[in-house]
Amino acid sequence: MSHWAAAPLNRHQVTLFAPTLDDTIDGDHPVRLFDELIRAIDFSSWELMYVQVAGQPPIHPRAMASCILYGLSLGMRSSRKLEDACGNRLDFLWLMQGRKPDHATICGFRTDFEPQLKDLFRRVGRVGIEMGLVTLNQVTLDGTSTRANNSRYNTARRSSLEQKLAALDEQIEQRMKEFGEQDRREDELYGVETSPAKLPRSLADLNRRQAELKKAMVNLAQREAARQGRKDVSAKGVSVPLSDAESRVLPNKDGGNAPNYTSVLAVDADSGLIVDTQVLGSNDEPSTVLPAVANIEENFGDKPAAMMIDSGFHSGPNLLGLEQQDVEALIPARQQFRENPALREDPSQPVAQEDLCRLPVSPQLKVLDKAAFVFDRAKDRYHCPMGRVLERVEDRKYNRDGNKGVYKIYACASCAGCPLASKCLPKKAMVRRICRDEYEDARERAAARLSSEEGRARYRRRSSVAETPFAVLKTTMNLRQFLLRGLSKVRQELCWAATAYNLVKLMRFKAAAAPA
Ligand code: SF4
């Protein structure tokens, strides 16, 4: 008897597989549940996009979508790998019933049906609602950087971009002269006759590179205009990606800077299903909060009852905008002071001597924070930690990145002789002034919600709910870098991944609910 285990299959065995394709797939194989779910979804809007023409009949969009989504659920994103799987893997053969789309067809299908893909995402979410899983009671929103399909070294600043463009212009001019000379010689030799109006291949390539650089130049000009007048930006100037001009050079979690997009997901806390996806060509994550509410309402006919979001999304317009839409905002301020002795029963009295050292200090300004001043709404004035009054002295207009409004300024009548002056007064100021804009009431209400035990308990769920989909997308589906280029295409790429994620979640719920 051999020491080694015998191979279970004989290469010359006459019958190897089960007599039917269906018999080769076990009854409890996940692909069966996947197929059941995808068959319950209506694809008529996709069918309308196909025009009957001569040639091979097209593969049904349900089969194509199944191939992409099932592949994503297994971390298979490359169209070539999917093509290979359709020909060789039994689960794909069963799912596709032997259809074998080539990689170009799969690649085109991924980006040719943008509105239909959004509709598919919506329909999958609605299955979650019908199953009683998605409640929209609490929705989280979070963002992460996802690498663009652009090498971190293929970026340029203004000087290098101008040099590259000038060199390319010179090359194109040189080639044009050479082709003109060649045409003249050929005309002399063969006579003038019409020829196909097609650019020579080398010139077409130069023109394509020139168009890419020009696009990068436009992007650069826009970024420079947006940074004009700002002191908190690098003096080195803006660096722009050259292969994917719509991405943005942003800091990477693994160090350094690289072209990235910002992927933002809204997740229903009760089911863990993704209810909205957004991709930004910048890192302006706070700008996604109100659009997320609008998208969820459009997709599912209802607004979330509460939004749980981290402090990076905290802004006055977001807090007020959510309140105006009757959505409870659970968003902590960037700077939180847990124990604040300034919040005392009678703010007209000074803070106790032993508590003065615990008053909140602004980390940026290095003086007492606004949180150390108590607002008296009835009398429209502040009380400082020494119990003195800061009356409203002036209203001033502001314009922050196009967001216009008016803020009120409150000033202490006299800070002379105050023992806290060195901690409270900014350099060269004789009296302390406090500003209050139209969003301050909303900020205070949001802070009060999160200071309660109930608010804190609800908010504690946020991180696991919000971050789980990103972990799955990055590790299981390998979505650490987009394969496609351009904002519209990467949005579709994320939407495909989110739809696959939701389908896998629904499969798990179905499997758990099935009788043992
Ligand atoms: S410096 Fe002025 S505002 Fe600040 S604590 Fe003293 S009196 Fe109040």
Side-chain angles (χ1 to χ4, degrees):
M1 201 172 110
S2 168
H3 174 70
W4 307 109
L9 292 179
N10 177 348
R11 285 179 177 164
H12 304 288
Q13 187 176 315
V14 178
T15 308
L16 180 59
F17 295 109
T20 68
L21 185 57
D22 198 52
D23 290 339
T24 59
I25 300 294
D26 290 341
D28 58 355
H29 195 291
V31 73
R32 288 186 180 274
L33 204 47
F34 185 90
D35 187 60
E36 191 185 314
L37 275 169
I38 206 102
R39 278 185 189 281
I41 293 166
D42 179 19
F43 273 79
S44 53
S45 64
W46 299 68
E47 288 168 4
L48 293 175
M49 299 299 291
Y50 287 77
V51 181
Q52 197 66 42
V53 287
Q56 290 288 323
I59 296 177
H60 194 276
R62 178 181 285 111
M64 292 296 299
S66 301
C67 170
I68 292 171
L69 293 168
Y70 184 63
L72 273 166
S73 74
L74 302 172
M76 221 182 271
R77 297 169 61 213
S78 146
S79 49
R80 281 183 170 77
K81 281 193 180 160
L82 289 174
E83 179 186 343
D84 180 61
C86 288
N88 297 304
R89 273 186 64 149
L90 285 175
D91 50 351
F92 273 85
L93 276 167
W94 182 89
L95 183 69
M96 298 292 285
Q97 294 176 277
R99 300 178 187 99
K100 291 174 191 161
D102 65 17
H103 64 271
T105 311
I106 296 170
C107 211
F109 186 85
R110 271 203 289 238
T111 51
D112 285 349
F113 297 90
E114 190 174 4
Q116 289 73 24
L117 174 59
K118 279 188 190 161
D119 186 52
L120 178 63
F121 173 75
R122 189 178 304 138
R123 283 173 190 275
V124 171
R126 283 189 177 166
V127 173
I129 293 179
E130 280 160 27
M131 287 167 72
L133 303 168
V134 177
T135 60
L136 299 180
N137 283 337
Q138 295 186 99
V139 169
T140 66
L141 192 74
D142 204 1
T144 188
S145 294
T146 311
R147 290 276 304 276
N149 186 354
N150 188 120
S151 158
R152 67 164 64 205
Y153 304 107
N154 195 20
T155 60
R157 295 186 197 280
R158 176 168 282 283
S159 57
S160 123
L161 204 51
E162 281 171 350
Q163 272 174 15
K164 281 177 201 265
L165 257 175
L168 211 52
D169 285 347
E170 213 171 283
Q171 262 180 299
I172 290 173
E173 204 175 313
Q174 179 65 26
R175 284 292 155 84
M176 291 299 280
K177 270 188 201 160
E178 285 169 15
F179 292 135
E181 182 57 27
Q182 191 180 338
D183 282 349
R184 195 188 56 74
R185 281 201 304 271
E186 285 177 1
D187 287 349
E188 275 176 15
L189 207 58
Y190 308 116
V192 181
E193 58 182 43
T194 51
S195 58
K198 225 177 174 184
L199 274 178
R201 207 190 173 106
S202 58
L203 190 58
D205 192 46
L206 288 179
N207 279 337
R208 183 186 57 77
R209 278 172 53 204
Q210 190 188 41
E212 276 173 7
L213 289 181
K214 280 187 176 167
K215 204 170 170 188
M217 204 66 174
V218 171
N219 184 8
L220 180 77
Q222 284 169 353
R223 296 279 318 281
E224 284 175 342
R227 287 161 62 120
Q228 217 162 25
R230 279 177 55 187
K231 289 178 188 149
D232 58 334
V233 291
S234 150
K236 281 187 193 167
V238 183
S239 172
V240 288
L242 298 182
S243 306
D244 186 351
E246 290 179 50
S247 60
R248 173 83 63 93
V249 178
L250 296 170
N252 254 7
K253 282 201 173 132
D254 49 355
N257 293 304
N260 276 286
Y261 284 101
T262 304
S263 307
V264 179
L265 298 179
V267 183
D268 174 65
D270 289 334
S271 62
L273 259 68
I274 298 170
V275 287
D276 183 45
T277 66
Q278 293 180 63
V279 181
L280 303 177
S282 68
N283 55 355
D284 182 18
E285 292 180 6
S287 69
T288 59
V289 175
L290 300 179
V293 173
N295 293 346
I296 292 168
E297 189 177 17
E298 189 192 325
N299 285 342
F300 305 111
D302 213 354
K303 279 185 267 200
M307 293 289 283
M308 299 192 291
I309 318 176
D310 72 25
S311 58
F313 293 74
H314 183 276
S315 76
N318 279 342
L319 295 171
L320 191 62
L322 289 174
E323 276 192 2
Q324 284 167 347
Q325 298 194 53
D326 283 333
V327 179
E328 192 183 11
L330 293 170
I331 313 176
R334 283 168 210 217
Q335 194 61 55
Q336 293 170 64
F337 302 101
R338 281 279 148 82
E339 284 175 25
N340 183 358
L343 302 177
R344 56 210 186 272
E345 257 178 39
D346 183 1
S348 64
Q349 296 302 311
V351 172
Q353 189 67 29
E354 64 275 19
D355 289 334
L356 290 179
C357 58
R358 294 193 295 116
L359 284 169
V361 175
S362 160
Q364 292 85 29
L365 304 173
K366 313 285 184 226
V367 291
L368 285 186
D369 193 85
K370 194 200 268 187
F373 295 76
V374 180
F375 186 59
D376 180 345
R377 192 162 282 104
K379 295 188 176 156
D380 190 19
R381 64 188 193 181
Y382 277 94
H383 284 281
C384 77
M386 294 311 290
R388 295 188 197 179
V389 171
L390 284 81
E391 294 288 358
R392 184 170 163 187
V393 291
E394 193 185 344
D395 285 5
R396 223 181 254 178
K397 287 183 185 169
Y398 68 83
N399 184 354
R400 296 182 205 126
D401 303 327
N403 183 18
K404 292 181 186 171
V406 177
Y407 61 84
K408 303 167 202 164
I409 299 174
Y410 299 80
C412 186
S414 169
C415 294
C418 172
L420 278 177
S422 62
K423 267 181 97 178
C424 181
L425 295 179
K427 269 182 204 160
K428 295 183 188 166
M430 298 302 289
V431 292
R432 179 66 195 254
R433 290 156 76 91
I434 296 285
C435 299
R436 186 178 180 88
D437 65 17
E438 66 270 42
Y439 304 112
E440 204 60 44
D441 289 337
R443 287 191 194 101
E444 287 169 359
R445 285 191 290 270
R449 264 194 300 277
L450 278 166
S451 65
S452 69
E453 191 47 53
E454 191 222 335
R456 280 201 293 272
R458 286 169 68 196
Y459 188 75
R460 270 196 285 276
R461 291 180 69 198
R462 186 209 68 85
S463 66
S464 69
V465 173
E467 283 159 27
T468 302
F470 283 122
V472 173
L473 260 53
K474 286 188 175 185
T475 54
T476 312
M477 297 193 189
N478 292 323
L479 189 72
R480 290 181 185 278
Q481 179 171 22
F482 287 112
L483 296 173
L484 304 173
R485 286 178 181 156
L487 205 43
S488 159
K489 288 186 179 175
V490 297
R491 280 184 179 144
Q492 292 180 66
E493 206 175 334
L494 183 65
C495 193
W496 277 111
T499 309
Y501 175 87
N502 283 350
L503 278 167
V504 172
K505 279 284 243 189
L506 291 177
M507 278 164 63
R508 297 225 172 104
F509 284 122
K510 275 204 142 207

Short mmCIF file of all heavy atoms in Angstrom, two decimals, residues 340 342-344 347 359-360 367-376 382-386 388 390 412 424 432-434 436 444:
data_model
loop_
_atom_site.label_atom_id
_atom_site.label_comp_id
_atom_site.label_asym_id
_atom_site.label_seq_id
_atom_site.Cartn_x
_atom_site.Cartn_y
_atom_site.Cartn_z
N ASN A 340 -17.12 70.23 31.12
CA ASN A 340 -16.94 71.66 30.92
C ASN A 340 -17.46 72.41 32.15
O ASN A 340 -18.67 72.59 32.31
CB ASN A 340 -17.70 72.06 29.65
CG ASN A 340 -17.51 73.53 29.32
OD1 ASN A 340 -16.83 74.25 30.05
ND2 ASN A 340 -18.11 73.96 28.23
N ALA A 342 -17.64 75.37 32.73
CA ALA A 342 -18.31 76.64 32.43
C ALA A 342 -19.83 76.47 32.42
O ALA A 342 -20.57 77.45 32.60
CB ALA A 342 -17.84 77.14 31.07
N LEU A 343 -20.31 75.23 32.22
CA LEU A 343 -21.77 74.99 32.19
C LEU A 343 -22.26 74.88 33.63
O LEU A 343 -22.43 73.80 34.17
CB LEU A 343 -22.09 73.72 31.38
CG LEU A 343 -21.59 73.73 29.93
CD1 LEU A 343 -21.88 72.41 29.26
CD2 LEU A 343 -22.22 74.88 29.15
N ARG A 344 -22.47 76.00 34.25
CA ARG A 344 -22.86 76.05 35.67
C ARG A 344 -24.29 76.53 35.79
O ARG A 344 -24.86 77.06 34.83
CB ARG A 344 -21.89 76.96 36.42
CG ARG A 344 -21.81 78.37 35.84
CD ARG A 344 -20.44 78.97 36.07
NE ARG A 344 -20.36 80.37 35.65
CZ ARG A 344 -20.05 80.76 34.43
NH1 ARG A 344 -19.82 79.87 33.49
NH2 ARG A 344 -19.98 82.05 34.14
N PRO A 347 -24.79 81.31 35.32
CA PRO A 347 -23.62 81.80 34.57
C PRO A 347 -23.24 83.24 34.91
O PRO A 347 -22.18 83.71 34.49
CB PRO A 347 -24.06 81.67 33.11
CG PRO A 347 -25.53 81.49 33.13
CD PRO A 347 -25.95 81.06 34.48
N LEU A 359 -11.09 74.76 32.33
CA LEU A 359 -11.91 75.41 31.29
C LEU A 359 -11.41 75.00 29.90
O LEU A 359 -10.19 74.85 29.70
CB LEU A 359 -11.83 76.93 31.44
CG LEU A 359 -12.64 77.52 32.59
CD1 LEU A 359 -12.26 78.98 32.81
CD2 LEU A 359 -14.14 77.39 32.32
N PRO A 360 -12.33 74.80 28.92
CA PRO A 360 -11.88 74.35 27.58
C PRO A 360 -11.04 75.39 26.86
O PRO A 360 -11.40 76.57 26.83
CB PRO A 360 -13.19 74.09 26.84
CG PRO A 360 -14.24 74.80 27.61
CD PRO A 360 -13.78 74.93 29.02
N VAL A 367 -6.40 79.94 23.21
CA VAL A 367 -7.08 80.77 24.22
C VAL A 367 -8.36 80.05 24.62
O VAL A 367 -8.72 79.04 24.00
CB VAL A 367 -7.43 82.19 23.68
CG1 VAL A 367 -6.19 83.01 23.45
CG2 VAL A 367 -8.26 82.09 22.41
N LEU A 368 -9.07 80.56 25.63
CA LEU A 368 -10.31 79.89 26.06
C LEU A 368 -11.24 79.70 24.87
O LEU A 368 -11.47 80.61 24.09
CB LEU A 368 -11.02 80.72 27.12
CG LEU A 368 -10.41 80.73 28.54
CD1 LEU A 368 -11.33 81.49 29.49
CD2 LEU A 368 -10.18 79.33 29.07
N ASP A 369 -11.79 78.49 24.76
CA ASP A 369 -12.68 78.18 23.64
C ASP A 369 -14.04 78.85 23.85
O ASP A 369 -14.41 79.21 24.98
CB ASP A 369 -12.86 76.66 23.55
CG ASP A 369 -13.51 76.25 22.26
OD1 ASP A 369 -12.77 76.10 21.28
OD2 ASP A 369 -14.74 76.10 22.22
N LYS A 370 -14.78 78.96 22.74
CA LYS A 370 -16.13 79.54 22.81
C LYS A 370 -17.00 78.75 23.79
O LYS A 370 -17.92 79.29 24.41
CB LYS A 370 -16.74 79.52 21.41
CG LYS A 370 -17.97 80.38 21.27
CD LYS A 370 -18.78 79.97 20.09
CE LYS A 370 -18.42 80.71 18.87
NZ LYS A 370 -19.33 80.42 17.74
N ALA A 371 -16.68 77.43 23.93
CA ALA A 371 -17.48 76.57 24.82
C ALA A 371 -17.38 77.02 26.28
O ALA A 371 -18.20 76.61 27.10
CB ALA A 371 -16.99 75.13 24.68
N ALA A 372 -16.41 77.89 26.61
CA ALA A 372 -16.28 78.37 27.99
C ALA A 372 -17.23 79.55 28.26
O ALA A 372 -17.30 80.05 29.38
CB ALA A 372 -14.84 78.79 28.25
N PHE A 373 -17.96 79.98 27.21
CA PHE A 373 -18.88 81.12 27.33
C PHE A 373 -20.31 80.60 27.19
O PHE A 373 -20.60 79.79 26.32
CB PHE A 373 -18.58 82.15 26.24
CG PHE A 373 -17.22 82.78 26.39
CD1 PHE A 373 -16.07 82.07 26.02
CD2 PHE A 373 -17.07 84.05 26.92
CE1 PHE A 373 -14.82 82.63 26.17
CE2 PHE A 373 -15.81 84.60 27.07
CZ PHE A 373 -14.68 83.89 26.70
N VAL A 374 -21.18 81.06 28.10
CA VAL A 374 -22.56 80.54 28.11
C VAL A 374 -23.49 81.57 27.45
O VAL A 374 -23.46 82.75 27.82
CB VAL A 374 -23.02 80.27 29.56
CG1 VAL A 374 -24.45 79.75 29.59
CG2 VAL A 374 -22.07 79.29 30.23
N PHE A 375 -24.27 81.09 26.47
CA PHE A 375 -25.16 82.02 25.75
C PHE A 375 -26.50 82.14 26.47
O PHE A 375 -27.11 81.12 26.83
CB PHE A 375 -25.37 81.51 24.32
CG PHE A 375 -26.14 82.46 23.46
CD1 PHE A 375 -25.68 83.75 23.23
CD2 PHE A 375 -27.35 82.07 22.88
CE1 PHE A 375 -26.39 84.64 22.43
CE2 PHE A 375 -28.06 82.95 22.07
CZ PHE A 375 -27.57 84.23 21.85
N ASP A 376 -26.95 83.36 26.65
CA ASP A 376 -28.27 83.63 27.25
C ASP A 376 -29.19 84.01 26.08
O ASP A 376 -29.16 85.15 25.60
CB ASP A 376 -28.13 84.76 28.27
CG ASP A 376 -29.46 85.10 28.93
OD1 ASP A 376 -30.51 84.65 28.42
OD2 ASP A 376 -29.44 85.80 29.96
N TYR A 382 -23.72 86.79 25.96
CA TYR A 382 -22.93 85.71 26.55
C TYR A 382 -22.49 86.08 27.95
O TYR A 382 -22.37 87.27 28.29
CB TYR A 382 -21.66 85.46 25.71
CG TYR A 382 -21.87 84.58 24.50
CD1 TYR A 382 -22.15 85.12 23.25
CD2 TYR A 382 -21.76 83.20 24.60
CE1 TYR A 382 -22.32 84.31 22.13
CE2 TYR A 382 -21.92 82.38 23.48
CZ TYR A 382 -22.20 82.94 22.26
OH TYR A 382 -22.36 82.14 21.16
N HIS A 383 -22.23 85.03 28.76
CA HIS A 383 -21.57 85.23 30.04
C HIS A 383 -20.21 84.54 29.95
O HIS A 383 -20.12 83.39 29.51
CB HIS A 383 -22.37 84.58 31.18
CG HIS A 383 -23.57 85.38 31.56
ND1 HIS A 383 -23.50 86.51 32.34
CD2 HIS A 383 -24.88 85.23 31.23
CE1 HIS A 383 -24.72 87.00 32.49
NE2 HIS A 383 -25.58 86.24 31.82
N CYS A 384 -19.18 85.24 30.39
CA CYS A 384 -17.84 84.64 30.35
C CYS A 384 -17.59 83.83 31.63
O CYS A 384 -18.41 83.89 32.56
CB CYS A 384 -16.79 85.73 30.16
SG CYS A 384 -16.44 86.66 31.65
N PRO A 385 -16.49 83.10 31.72
CA PRO A 385 -16.26 82.28 32.92
C PRO A 385 -16.17 83.10 34.21
O PRO A 385 -16.35 82.56 35.30
CB PRO A 385 -14.92 81.59 32.63
CG PRO A 385 -14.78 81.64 31.16
CD PRO A 385 -15.47 82.86 30.70
N MET A 386 -15.89 84.40 34.08
CA MET A 386 -15.85 85.23 35.28
C MET A 386 -17.21 85.81 35.59
O MET A 386 -17.35 86.63 36.51
CB MET A 386 -14.83 86.37 35.10
CG MET A 386 -13.39 85.90 34.99
SD MET A 386 -12.91 84.72 36.26
CE MET A 386 -12.87 85.74 37.72
N ARG A 388 -18.87 87.83 33.73
CA ARG A 388 -19.12 89.14 33.10
C ARG A 388 -19.94 88.95 31.81
O ARG A 388 -19.99 87.85 31.25
CB ARG A 388 -17.80 89.85 32.77
CG ARG A 388 -17.04 90.19 34.04
CD ARG A 388 -15.84 91.05 33.75
NE ARG A 388 -14.93 91.02 34.89
CZ ARG A 388 -13.78 91.66 34.93
NH1 ARG A 388 -13.38 92.38 33.90
NH2 ARG A 388 -13.00 91.59 35.98
N LEU A 390 -21.04 89.66 27.84
CA LEU A 390 -20.56 90.06 26.51
C LEU A 390 -21.79 90.45 25.70
O LEU A 390 -22.61 89.59 25.35
CB LEU A 390 -19.83 88.91 25.80
CG LEU A 390 -18.40 88.61 26.26
CD1 LEU A 390 -18.43 87.76 27.53
CD2 LEU A 390 -17.64 87.87 25.18
N CYS A 412 -16.94 91.76 25.45
CA CYS A 412 -16.98 92.04 26.89
C CYS A 412 -16.76 93.56 27.08
O CYS A 412 -15.91 94.15 26.39
CB CYS A 412 -15.88 91.23 27.57
SG CYS A 412 -15.91 91.36 29.35
N CYS A 424 -7.49 84.02 28.25
CA CYS A 424 -8.74 84.29 27.51
C CYS A 424 -8.55 85.23 26.32
O CYS A 424 -9.22 85.07 25.30
CB CYS A 424 -9.76 84.88 28.49
SG CYS A 424 -11.34 85.23 27.78
N ARG A 432 -12.34 90.51 25.09
CA ARG A 432 -12.65 89.25 24.39
C ARG A 432 -13.90 89.42 23.55
O ARG A 432 -14.90 90.01 24.00
CB ARG A 432 -12.84 88.13 25.42
CG ARG A 432 -13.19 86.78 24.81
CD ARG A 432 -12.03 86.23 23.98
NE ARG A 432 -12.46 85.15 23.12
CZ ARG A 432 -12.18 83.87 23.35
NH1 ARG A 432 -11.49 83.51 24.41
NH2 ARG A 432 -12.59 82.95 22.49
N ARG A 433 -13.83 88.91 22.33
CA ARG A 433 -15.00 88.96 21.43
C ARG A 433 -15.38 87.53 21.05
O ARG A 433 -14.52 86.67 20.88
CB ARG A 433 -14.64 89.75 20.15
CG ARG A 433 -14.47 91.23 20.42
CD ARG A 433 -13.59 91.89 19.36
NE ARG A 433 -14.28 92.09 18.10
CZ ARG A 433 -14.95 93.19 17.77
NH1 ARG A 433 -15.03 94.19 18.63
NH2 ARG A 433 -15.53 93.31 16.60
N ILE A 434 -16.67 87.28 20.87
CA ILE A 434 -17.19 85.97 20.49
C ILE A 434 -18.08 86.17 19.27
O ILE A 434 -18.91 87.08 19.23
CB ILE A 434 -18.04 85.35 21.64
CG1 ILE A 434 -17.17 85.07 22.86
CG2 ILE A 434 -18.77 84.09 21.19
CD1 ILE A 434 -16.28 83.88 22.76
N ARG A 436 -20.98 84.61 16.53
CA ARG A 436 -22.09 83.63 16.51
C ARG A 436 -22.79 83.74 15.17
O ARG A 436 -23.35 84.80 14.84
CB ARG A 436 -23.06 83.96 17.66
CG ARG A 436 -24.16 82.95 17.84
CD ARG A 436 -25.05 83.32 19.02
NE ARG A 436 -26.10 82.33 19.16
CZ ARG A 436 -25.98 81.22 19.87
NH1 ARG A 436 -24.88 80.97 20.55
NH2 ARG A 436 -26.98 80.35 19.92
N GLU A 444 -25.61 73.87 18.84
CA GLU A 444 -25.85 73.65 20.28
C GLU A 444 -26.87 72.53 20.49
O GLU A 444 -26.71 71.70 21.38
CB GLU A 444 -26.32 74.95 20.94
CG GLU A 444 -25.19 75.95 21.10
CD GLU A 444 -25.62 77.35 21.51
OE1 GLU A 444 -26.84 77.57 21.68
OE2 GLU A 444 -24.75 78.22 21.63
#
